[in-house]
Amino acid sequence: MSRNAEVAALLEEMADRLEALDVDYKPRAYRQAAENVRGHTVAVETLAAEGQDAVEEIDRVGEAIAAKIVEYVETGSIAELEELREQLPVDIEALTRVEGVGPKTVADLYEALGVQDLDDLEAAAEAGEIQEVKGFGAKTEQNILDNIAFARESHERQLLGDAQPLAERVMDHLRASDAVERVETAGSLRRWRPTVGDVDVLVATDDRQAVVDRFVEFDAETIEAGTSKASLRANGIRVDLRVVVPDEWGSALLYFTGSKDHNIVLRNRAIERELKVNEYGVFDVSGVDDPDSGQRVGERVAGETEAAMYAALELPYIAPEMREDRGEVAAAAAGELPDLIDETDVRGDLHLHTEWSDGDDSVAEMVAGAEEFGHDYIAISDHATGPGMVGGVGVDDDALLEQAEEVRAVAADADVRVFTGVEANIAPDGSVSVADDVLAELDCVVASPHASLDGDGTDRLVAACEHPEVNVLGHPTGRLLNQRPGLDFDVEAVAEAAAANDTALEINANPHRLDLSGSYVKRAIEAGATLAIDTDAHTPASYGFVRFGVHTARRGWAEPADVLTTREADDVAAFLGL
Ligand code: DGT
Ligand code: CA
Ligand code: CA
Ligand code: ZN
């Protein structure tokens, strides 16, 4: 099992600890390295075995960081990190999970009050000690109290973006065994929920023991191993394996994919038809006295495939992303299932960053990356300056016009169409952080909320949708999964304003955001809005996040026509008013 996520987490811890000590530049270098290590397709231990030079081939990983990665792979620890931990003996990962608590706050509260973990933090806040510390006030203290519960809870679920690559590696590991006939993820991961409690993997085989044996060879901690199921923990993520005979593949896959609520709707539909549905199949129990007398009673009418399971219930196949009991069984029964968007439908990306703001790469590099990825068009939408922009990374109005010149120059030689643009900030009053005459010069204006994300955001977002220059409402809630819940708003009202003003609502595909969520996408489409799937890429490697956006769109029942970024470049240009 690849240790990339583990190494990335350590590099992030280095970044936090260096930042806590007020060290310049290095924290950012460590964070950029961490992001690229996490996304790298070759395992760090493989690279480390080849030598430090091989590790340095990872984007943004220089000599110093590569040496630490090699040190970790070879010795199991990093000496400098151990020293940093001694210097500041706190659970920095847990503490910084509290919204509003950064590494420097952690250092200040440790020095002043000896706060080392979430329990200490909560006790200090409840005792009113935090507001007494220099630089802190009653408002900050209340904020901390409000956010501790969320920080605790959120930790129990993993980001889909972290769990999905692990699931792929587990499946590859299993596929190498001849005993494995079929392998597939199940559970919330297969439904593409933004966070998952664990990774569920299902295998069909005639040799269960061989499969369980192969599974526990995966380089991770074994939690349990039985005859038809087993569990591991890798990078803090639990992986549950279930093994079934090929004949029961479809019924098991349907059952273990869930959701539980979808399964209940199917079970009730079965009962109405004198059928019984469970993880072993669909059974005709019309002639059976007591259908509850066993699991395999009556005549088995389906089970080998999911499609046959649905067919036995007189339904067409329902995609896993839709199995959330949001009316999908009724829609299927009525022949009204949407013709869902898929990954190959997307042609472009309207939200991405370059080194003009907080991106890692130049305009030319992002354009070349988009060409390589196969996009037909992109918009360069760097952060504008303004409130909510951390560390003054934004581009001011004059520089935006300068950047547009550079973008046009790069675009002239590119195979992909490149729109000029900006990601402006939406202030709490709904105003947009860039002058109207500058916005008017740019092809594609994304406007997004970044700060003051509490309370009701309906008026704020409606105002942004109504702004004549705004084309895309970026990550509308501003949520960061496991970190902050983001804005509340009346999605129908915002979607109607968007539709009336030719503003697209974004499905931000970054795995930390997935914003809008699937349930909001569904409601937005019903209210007439157009969506835009964007990655918010800060480096070309992140164009691949688009698939998380596509599956989120599928969770919202989206068809290709509902999504702006499935359209051809000329049609997108027309939508942008060009
Ligand atoms: P998670 O892991 O919390 O993100 O959510 P799931 O949906 O993956 O849930 P999990 O891992 O507990 O179970 C996987 C699937 O197995 C679940 O989606 C449906 C099925 N399942 C588990 N327990 C039950 C149950 O008590 N009743 C029914 N009908 N199905 C269940
Ligand atoms: Ca699960
Ligand atoms: Ca599970
Ligand atoms: Zn943003």
Side-chain angles (χ1 to χ4, degrees):
M1 141 80 200
S2 149
R3 293 161 81 178
N4 294 31
E6 188 180 321
V7 169
L10 290 172
L11 297 177
E12 275 159 1
E13 185 183 342
M14 290 282 300
D16 279 352
R17 290 184 176 280
L18 291 164
E19 190 178 331
L21 297 175
D22 246 337
V23 176
D24 283 337
Y25 308 114
K26 273 191 180 179
R28 186 166 147 81
Y30 273 93
R31 285 206 180 93
Q32 289 179 333
E35 190 180 327
N36 286 294
V37 167
R38 184 172 277 120
H40 202 71
T41 45
V42 185
V44 283
E45 59 270 31
T46 308
L47 296 173
E50 285 171 31
Q52 187 175 320
D53 285 355
V55 179
E56 283 176 42
E57 277 167 25
I58 304 176
D59 234 22
R60 305 275 150 181
V61 173
E63 206 180 318
I65 295 178
K68 291 193 172 59
I69 295 174
V70 173
E71 181 188 355
Y72 181 71
V73 172
E74 286 177 354
T75 70
S77 67
I78 300 171
E80 189 185 338
L81 179 58
E82 295 306 322
E83 277 167 36
L84 289 167
R85 284 174 175 167
E86 273 173 39
Q87 243 174 303
L88 187 64
V90 302
D91 186 351
I92 197 158
E93 189 273 325
L95 290 165
T96 52
R97 237 186 287 135
V98 180
E99 170 73 357
V101 175
K104 284 182 188 142
T105 309
V106 170
D108 290 345
L109 292 177
Y110 175 70
E111 264 169 48
L113 304 170
V115 168
Q116 290 184 295
D117 56 27
L118 286 178
D119 290 340
D120 294 348
L121 183 70
E122 187 166 32
E126 276 172 353
E129 289 168 6
I130 290 178
Q131 55 176 296
E132 304 297 328
V133 178
K134 189 167 176 290
F136 292 76
K139 189 159 178 254
T140 313
E141 185 174 81
Q142 188 55 45
N143 241 343
I144 288 173
L145 270 179
D146 291 344
N147 289 315
I148 282 180
F150 189 80
R152 277 215 177 89
E153 256 169 58
S154 61
H155 194 52
E156 288 158 20
R157 298 187 65 81
Q158 307 289 335
L159 295 188
L160 179 64
D162 293 333
Q164 177 74 42
L166 171 64
E168 298 284 348
R169 290 197 295 272
V170 171
M171 289 200 292
D172 284 344
H173 172 82
L174 288 167
R175 278 189 198 105
S177 161
D178 288 340
V180 171
E181 290 201 5
R182 293 181 189 234
V183 57
E184 184 58 87
T185 57
S188 51
L189 188 123
R190 184 163 179 246
R191 304 194 314 275
W192 295 79
R193 272 193 67 176
T195 63
V196 300
D198 60 11
V199 171
D200 297 295
V201 176
L202 187 71
V203 167
T205 179
D206 288 315
D207 186 351
R208 295 181 185 216
Q209 195 56 53
V211 174
V212 171
D213 290 348
R214 173 70 188 166
F215 180 67
V216 299
E217 277 172 22
F218 192 75
D219 181 11
E221 170 202 349
T222 302
I223 301 171
E224 56 191 332
T227 52
S228 61
K229 57 186 204 175
S231 300
L232 300 174
R233 191 178 308 281
N235 293 336
I237 305 178
R238 182 186 170 106
V239 184
D240 281 349
L241 170 75
R242 284 189 191 75
V243 189
V244 300
V245 294
D247 206 32
E248 291 176 351
W249 169 254
S251 47
L253 186 57
L254 182 61
Y255 179 83
F256 290 114
T257 297
S259 68
K260 205 170 150 183
D261 292 337
H262 177 80
N263 290 348
I264 290 169
V265 177
L266 293 182
R267 200 187 311 149
N268 290 338
R269 184 175 172 88
I271 291 166
E272 287 164 15
R273 286 167 174 69
E274 291 191 273
L275 298 168
K276 180 185 173 85
V277 56
N278 60 28
E279 61 186 285
Y280 308 105
V282 178
F283 300 86
D284 180 346
V285 290
S286 55
V288 177
D289 287 342
D290 181 7
D292 296 325
S293 59
Q295 296 281 19
R296 296 174 173 92
V297 290
E299 187 200 345
R300 188 169 186 267
V301 296
E304 213 177 324
T305 66
E306 281 191 321
M309 293 288 290
Y310 282 111
L313 298 172
E314 296 174 85
L315 294 170
Y317 178 80
I318 300 175
E321 295 93 330
M322 295 181 65
R323 301 181 194 168
E324 298 288 355
D325 188 22
R326 293 186 192 138
E328 67 277 10
V329 174
E336 286 168 1
L337 284 179
D339 188 2
L340 295 178
I341 182 174
D342 67 50
E343 291 181 21
T344 58
D345 290 323
V346 176
R347 296 172 191 257
D349 195 333
L350 300 176
H351 183 171
L352 48 102
H353 298 271
T354 74
E355 61 196 9
W356 279 77
S357 68
D358 60 348
D360 292 345
D361 300 282
S362 67
V363 171
E365 285 165 316
M366 291 305 285
V367 169
E371 277 177 10
E372 201 175 314
F373 190 75
H375 277 322
D376 293 349
Y377 52 87
I378 55 171
I380 303 288
S381 51
D382 269 307
H383 290 289
T385 44
M389 286 341 301
V390 272
V393 292
V395 184
D396 69 27
D397 287 12
D398 290 341
L400 278 172
L401 297 175
E402 261 174 62
Q403 188 198 26
E405 300 255 314
E406 181 183 326
V407 170
R408 283 184 210 108
V410 172
D413 301 323
D415 286 336
V416 42
R417 179 146 175 193
V418 189
F419 298 113
T420 59
V422 64
E423 182 186 13
N425 183 52
I426 306 171
D429 67 1
S431 63
V432 168
S433 65
V434 178
D436 288 356
D437 59 332
V438 174
L439 294 178
E441 292 292 311
L442 301 172
D443 299 335
C444 180
V445 174
V446 179
S448 329
H450 292 99
S452 306
L453 300 173
D454 32 52
D456 187 281
T458 308
D459 293 346
R460 179 178 180 181
L461 298 182
V462 166
C465 288
E466 288 173 344
H467 190 297
E469 301 298 341
V470 171
N471 304 113
V472 178
L473 183 65
H475 50 73
T477 74
R479 75 172 177 178
L480 289 174
L481 293 163
N482 285 356
Q483 293 173 50
R484 67 182 187 211
L487 281 174
D488 272 337
F489 56 85
D490 176 344
V491 59
E492 280 76 20
V494 171
E496 280 164 20
N501 293 279
D502 285 333
T503 303
L505 301 183
E506 186 173 79
I507 301 174
N508 190 296
N510 184 297
H512 290 279
R513 295 189 181 273
L514 300 180
D515 178 12
L516 297 175
S517 67
S519 57
Y520 272 29
V521 168
K522 183 166 185 285
R523 290 166 61 187
I525 291 171
E526 284 162 3
T530 297
L531 285 308
I533 299 173
D534 297 324
T535 60
D536 206 346
H538 286 62
T539 184
S542 302
Y543 285 126
F545 288 154
V546 66
R547 69 192 181 120
F548 293 104
V550 170
H551 290 279
T552 299
R554 290 167 62 91
R555 287 176 60 77
W557 300 32
E559 302 192 330
D562 298 317
V563 178
L564 178 62
T565 45
T566 64
R567 297 183 195 166
E568 291 181 15
D570 286 343
D571 295 330
V572 172
F575 184 93
L576 299 174
L578 302 174

